[in-house]
Amino acid sequence: MNITDNINLTDKGNDNINNEIITDVLIVGGGPAGMMTGITAAQFCPGKKVLVVRKESDAVIPCGIPYIFGTLGGTDEDMAGRLPLIAAGGEILIGNIVEIDNIRQIAYMEYINQDYNSEDEQNENIAAADGKISAQFLTENINKQQRLTKTNNGNLVLIKFNRLVLATGGRNFIPPIKGTDLEGVFSIQKDYNYLENLFTNLIPKVKKLAIIGGGFIGVEFADEIRKLGIEVHIIEMLPHLMQVSFDLDVCAKVEEILESRGIAVHTGCQVEEIISDPSEKKVAGLRIKDKEDIKADAVLIAIGVKPNVELAKKIGLTLSRSGGVWVDAFQRSREDDKIFAVGDCAHKQDFFTRKANHAMIASQAAAEGRIAGMNLYSLRLSRYNAGSVSVYSSEIDGLAFGVAGLTQAQAVAEGFDILIGESRLPDHHPASMPNTTEIYCRLIFSKESMQLLGGQITGGQTTGELVNTIGLAIQMHATATDIATMQFGSQPRLTPSLHPMVAATGDALRKNVQIV
Amino acid sequence: MNITDNINLTDKGNDNINNEIITDVLIVGGGPAGMMTGITAAQFCPGKKVLVVRKESDAVIPCGIPYIFGTLGGTDEDMAGRLPLIAAGGEILIGNIVEIDNIRQIAYMEYINQDYNSEDEQNENIAAADGKISAQFLTENINKQQRLTKTNNGNLVLIKFNRLVLATGGRNFIPPIKGTDLEGVFSIQKDYNYLENLFTNLIPKVKKLAIIGGGFIGVEFADEIRKLGIEVHIIEMLPHLMQVSFDLDVCAKVEEILESRGIAVHTGCQVEEIISDPSEKKVAGLRIKDKEDIKADAVLIAIGVKPNVELAKKIGLTLSRSGGVWVDAFQRSREDDKIFAVGDCAHKQDFFTRKANHAMIASQAAAEGRIAGMNLYSLRLSRYNAGSVSVYSSEIDGLAFGVAGLTQAQAVAEGFDILIGESRLPDHHPASMPNTTEIYCRLIFSKESMQLLGGQITGGQTTGELVNTIGLAIQMHATATDIATMQFGSQPRLTPSLHPMVAATGDALRKNVQIV
């Protein structure tokens, strides 16, 4: 029997509570953290019922959002499927958890009546569901879920649980300046209807877009929106774009490429106000401190995300000073080891420093989901979260760039005495092979221990996986010795003849050489 | 002063020894192992003179050889440059070491008068030399080297050294069957003139090529030669191609692709004899045990390489039972810790079993070169060789495939109780992103310790780097726990949403799950 079989599907009118659901695991939120917790729990706790409740009937893939507007050509092309969860044995309901009684282990849910928007969801899901689910299974389950979520409306449902996982995500940070409520000012929400509206109604009318914030989201959006022929300005308070994530040479390269694509880059610019047109309703541009105004008929605010901890606060969970739910190494809350938090709503500790790590990225959220999912009913020794390493990558106009661990600036600020190694190599060999791109690799070591602290890559198609290799090396506590003697494969069509990490480590080691 | 400055460039006629060179490090052989030893020694031992002596004026990049005949369109496109060595402060001479007196630390070299064949060498080298060498430096050094190697001819040169590194490579294994000496029978030699002759004179006349041996070289050659429109047969003794390196599902996929490209795959076929045409000089085909003859006007023998240990034997170094020079963890010989051996001529011990590991690949050879180069004058603690992991990858017609560590068959044969995890994911996400290819990942764990033993990938452009990540994980002794909780970046254009290794590890862990 499925969890949702005992829901009465007939309309009972205005009764306040007309249904009761019994589950074992209740996961609130269905982004990458919530879905991954659900999938993992369903797989690793086979005797337990696992239910995800999320507000969005069709969730989008967070890091694909910028590409909706250019490369993908539509929101339908960026759907995060529910079917991997269902295939694993979990269930999902579309609703809003309005209240939690953590003592009695009960939650109250409002159903949300939403039509399914994504025609391609089924195909998407088949692709995502790692090829092991039959098409028939998919169809049956989609139909059942649609029936349930469409029939019930406006009534509270009581959900009994014995493990609670908060995966309530984040909210865009809106700066406390004038004009953020004007028509034409928007931020990115991971919601199908919101994005579909942006894509269909707002973006096509825009002639000049100003983007506040020069981080990953701002940069990726700038590049994609520019492809539509729109005039794009990107405004960053710090001296360089992406400066929080990369060392300056990579930042400079990103700026150069954006500018070569006709994007206006304004760094070292503080936005004082979003200015309106004479109607005082619609945006007209940005007022910049000590500089000229920037005209724009739309403004995207992309300066970061804050943990969404409303429910956590209501039930009295301790928050960290960074604003997220305090969690232990197994993603458990401080107050109750049956209540977990994962993803953007949970505190993240830095791998090296134990300080807060503010990187809110889907891959990190999903990693936390896997950890929580494994540890819900019994701690599986050492499947813990060693701290955030902040691994990410992106691409603009053929230049891919990525980072793992600490940047030079971060390492120095923490007090590390560092040693940097660099390498530049063609990504195929010999360099005369077709489609060869240069890979630049920069590794940062602690000078005394020669432990790897961080690395950055610019290059071609392999950049994302090279950054992941650096991430793994950091997490395995690799030293320069480990990397210098690392064995690797080299193949003309696929890799350089020398691994970029090995080459960069050699460069760092040489700087330490004494005459022998 | 450079090592070679004291060579007398005037012709002294037939005097037996007309020159004397004093170096610190003498490296015999200039393939990947020798060159990397030289580069590393020059970088890490700045007070020492480093000299590489090799026979080939223009060395080719070993793993690029198959591509000369198709993708690259010529031998000139596959040159391994000498300039990274020169840039590091080492020197190179083209010659043949005929005798070594290891007690007196003297070697005797015959000069080889060879014209430079590769017009593109300089460009090649600039690309390979990691962007840090000025064009002027390159030109000056090329000119000097050309002058030296062209002027002296036919006379023995005496070279004094205090460290000797043997990097004498391997020789193709020719099976003891009839007909291997017929016209039209060839094997692959890492030599410019030999390959240039093949490319210019032999291959263009071939209509039917039979390749004996279904390993990496055989498979890559088959694919490239087929692109020229030649009828290609590939003959393997084992039940599947690539069976020594991959598990059977990957082998089957490779066979399927080769066949779809019109290559005739003959597995489970033992070649009894190479048959000749009526002239009894030229090859006409292959006699196969218990099967029909295969007709061919050329035969490529690609069944493996044996260590070339002639010089090592002459000076009395201990050989391992596998035939290579016995070396310790620092690549030192048993008899003399001032004599090193690296690359295909040196014994390789398996990372897991300590048995012989017969993988003779350029990346492994270069890794050994780095280790020897670092340890020539003082052991730099723990810069040792932990054993061979056998990391390699290849690509045929858009399908890339690679392996690191043990295959399922090897692990079982060694006596491991294993657990296998698999994943299939699109290499971009959502799967609707352009140019998306499926990645298949298969990881093999020791069931008790959950240590990672090996992994295989089939996929697209990132396959080589994914296999390198598996290789690093093995070398860092990663367990399933480490990989399951590994943080990684995911980016729509560059990676799957879930790391293939994490997904496959999850699959393996689930098979171990007890109801909780």
Side-chain angles (χ1 to χ4, degrees), chain A residues 67 77 387 393 475 487-488 491, chain B residues 363 387 393 432 475 487 491:
Chain A
Y67 302 106
E77 300 298 319
S393 53
Q475 289 165 81
Q487 294 163 55
F488 55 85
Q491 211 280 339
Chain B
S363 55
S393 53
S432 43
Q475 289 166 81
Q487 294 163 55
Q491 211 280 340

Side-chain angles (χ1 to χ4, degrees), chain A residues 36 43-48 61 63-64 67 71-72 77-79 124 127-132 220 223-224 227 351 362-364 367 370-371 374 377-378 380-395 400-401 422-426 428-434 439 460-466 468-469 471-473 475-479 481-502 506-507 509-510 513-516, chain B residues 36 43-48 61 63-64 67 71-72 77-79 124 127-132 220 223-224 227 351 362-364 367 370-371 374 377-378 380-395 400-401 422-426 428-434 439 460-466 468-469 471-473 475-479 481-482 484-502 506-507 509-510 513-516:
Chain A
M36 192 53 86
Q43 291 170 334
F44 281 81
C45 315
K48 306 297 178 182
I61 298 175
C63 37
Y67 302 106
T71 305
L72 290 172
E77 300 298 319
D78 186 46
M79 303 309 300
E124 268 309 300
D130 84 8
K132 290 185 178 164
E220 289 179 354
D223 183 51
E224 286 287 309
K227 288 181 187 162
F351 181 83
S363 56
Q364 169 73 39
R370 279 190 296 278
I371 291 160
M374 286 182 189
Y377 287 94
S378 67
R380 297 166 185 239
L381 266 185
S382 82
R383 275 176 208 160
Y384 61 93
N385 181 352
S388 290
V389 182
S390 307
V391 192
Y392 27 68
S393 53
S394 189
E395 195 207 64
F401 49 101
E422 295 173 293
S423 65
R424 288 180 194 279
L425 292 159
H428 303 107
H429 70 280
S432 43
M433 289 292 282
I439 296 175
Q461 273 296 306
T462 57
T463 300
E465 295 305 349
L466 282 168
N468 286 339
T469 313
L472 176 65
Q475 289 165 81
M476 296 304 292
H477 303 278
T479 64
T481 296
D482 296 316
I483 304 170
T485 58
M486 161 187 170
Q487 294 163 55
F488 55 85
S490 66
Q491 211 280 339
R493 288 186 187 283
L494 302 172
T495 72
S497 58
L498 179 55
H499 196 288
M501 289 172 68
V502 176
D507 184 51
L509 285 171
R510 286 194 291 280
V513 165
Q514 309 295 321
I515 303 282
V516 289
Chain B
M36 191 54 86
Q43 290 170 335
F44 282 82
C45 315
K48 307 296 179 183
I61 297 175
C63 37
Y67 302 107
T71 304
L72 290 172
E77 300 298 318
D78 187 46
M79 303 310 299
E124 269 309 299
D130 83 9
K132 290 186 177 163
E220 289 178 356
D223 183 51
E224 287 286 310
K227 288 181 188 162
F351 182 83
S363 55
Q364 170 73 40
R370 280 190 296 279
I371 291 161
M374 286 182 190
Y377 286 94
S378 67
R380 297 166 186 238
L381 265 184
S382 83
R383 276 176 208 158
Y384 61 93
N385 181 352
S388 291
V389 182
S390 309
V391 191
Y392 26 68
S393 53
S394 189
E395 196 207 62
F401 49 100
E422 294 173 293
S423 65
R424 288 181 194 278
L425 291 159
H428 303 108
H429 71 281
S432 43
M433 289 293 282
I439 296 174
Q461 272 298 306
T462 57
T463 299
E465 295 306 348
L466 282 168
N468 286 340
T469 313
L472 176 65
Q475 289 166 81
M476 296 302 293
H477 303 278
T479 64
T481 297
D482 296 316
T485 58
M486 161 187 170
Q487 294 163 55
F488 54 85
S490 66
Q491 211 280 340
R493 288 186 187 281
L494 302 172
T495 72
S497 58
L498 179 55
H499 196 289
M501 288 171 69
V502 175
D507 183 51
L509 285 171
R510 285 194 291 280
V513 166
Q514 308 296 319
I515 303 282
V516 290

Side-chain angles (χ1 to χ4, degrees), chain B residues 104-161:
Chain B
R104 291 170 59 216
Q105 299 192 315
I106 288 169
Y108 298 92
M109 180 185 81
E110 252 173 21
Y111 265 124
I112 296 172
N113 190 5
Q114 265 192 332
D115 281 336
Y116 279 72
N117 297 291
S118 162
E119 289 169 16
D120 290 336
E121 165 142 334
Q122 189 167 342
N123 294 331
E124 269 309 299
N125 280 303
I126 291 171
D130 83 9
K132 290 186 177 163
I133 313 162
S134 76
Q136 196 195 340
F137 179 96
L138 291 175
T139 312
E140 284 169 6
N141 275 282
I142 280 213
N143 291 342
K144 190 174 74 183
Q145 297 300 325
Q146 284 183 331
R147 186 166 48 83
L148 285 174
T149 52
K150 282 187 173 173
T151 308
N152 292 273
N153 187 23
N155 300 310
L156 283 187
V157 176
L158 185 151
I159 303 173
K160 291 185 176 172
F161 60 84

Side-chain angles (χ1 to χ4, degrees), chain B residues 11-36:
Chain B
D11 189 0
K12 287 196 174 177
N14 282 330
D15 296 357
N16 197 28
I17 294 172
N18 66 349
N19 280 306
E20 185 178 301
I21 295 175
I22 297 171
T23 183
D24 290 299
V25 183
L26 171 62
I27 300 161
V28 185
M35 293 301 274
M36 191 54 86

Side-chain angles (χ1 to χ4, degrees), chain A residues 294-311:
Chain A
I294 296 169
K295 287 185 183 171
D297 52 4
V299 170
L300 164 60
I301 300 177
I303 56 174
V305 171
K306 300 246 155 195
N308 177 9
V309 289
E310 248 176 64
L311 278 174

Side-chain angles (χ1 to χ4, degrees), chain A residues 414-437:
Chain A
E414 284 302 332
F416 278 108
D417 193 9
I418 61 168
L419 194 62
I420 290 178
E422 295 173 293
S423 65
R424 288 180 194 279
L425 292 159
D427 67 350
H428 303 107
H429 70 280
S432 43
M433 289 292 282
N435 304 318
T436 295
T437 305

Side-chain angles (χ1 to χ4, degrees), chain A residues 10 35 99 145 248 309 313 328 456 477 497:
Chain A
T10 59
M35 292 301 275
E99 200 73 44
Q145 297 298 327
L248 297 187
V309 289
K313 270 186 186 165
D328 70 7
Q456 287 157 65
H477 303 278
S497 58

Side-chain angles (χ1 to χ4, degrees), chain B residues 313-470:
Chain B
K313 271 187 186 166
K314 273 192 186 175
I315 59 180
L317 299 184
T318 298
L319 304 185
S320 73
R321 272 171 291 184
S322 72
V325 179
W326 187 96
V327 288
D328 70 7
F330 308 94
Q331 304 294 141
R332 297 181 299 188
S333 67
R334 185 155 183 171
E335 282 66 28
D336 187 339
D337 62 13
K338 294 184 176 57
I339 302 182
F340 294 68
V342 292
D344 287 358
C345 73
H347 176 66
K348 278 151 224 351
Q349 164 173 303
D350 189 79
F351 182 83
F352 294 101
T353 65
R354 297 195 194 164
K355 293 180 181 172
N357 177 310
H358 296 283
M360 290 190 180
I361 45 180
S363 55
Q364 170 73 40
E368 294 176 8
R370 280 190 296 279
I371 291 161
M374 286 182 190
N375 289 309
L376 286 169
Y377 286 94
S378 67
L379 293 191
R380 297 166 186 238
L381 265 184
S382 83
R383 276 176 208 158
Y384 61 93
N385 181 352
S388 291
V389 182
S390 309
V391 191
Y392 26 68
S393 53
S394 189
E395 196 207 62
I396 310 169
D397 197 30
L399 176 80
F401 49 100
V403 59
L406 300 177
T407 62
Q408 176 176 358
Q410 287 163 351
V412 169
E414 284 302 333
F416 278 107
D417 193 7
I418 62 168
L419 195 60
I420 290 179
E422 294 173 293
S423 65
R424 288 181 194 278
L425 291 159
D427 68 350
H428 303 108
H429 71 281
S432 43
M433 289 293 282
N435 305 318
T436 297
T437 306
E438 185 186 74
I439 296 174
Y440 167 69
C441 174
R442 176 185 183 85
L443 296 182
I444 295 153
F445 295 93
S446 158
K447 197 169 185 175
E448 291 303 313
S449 66
M450 287 307 276
Q451 189 189 354
L452 180 63
L453 300 178
Q456 287 157 65
I457 299 273
T458 63
Q461 272 298 306
T462 57
T463 299
E465 295 306 348
L466 282 168
V467 159
N468 286 340
T469 313
I470 296 173

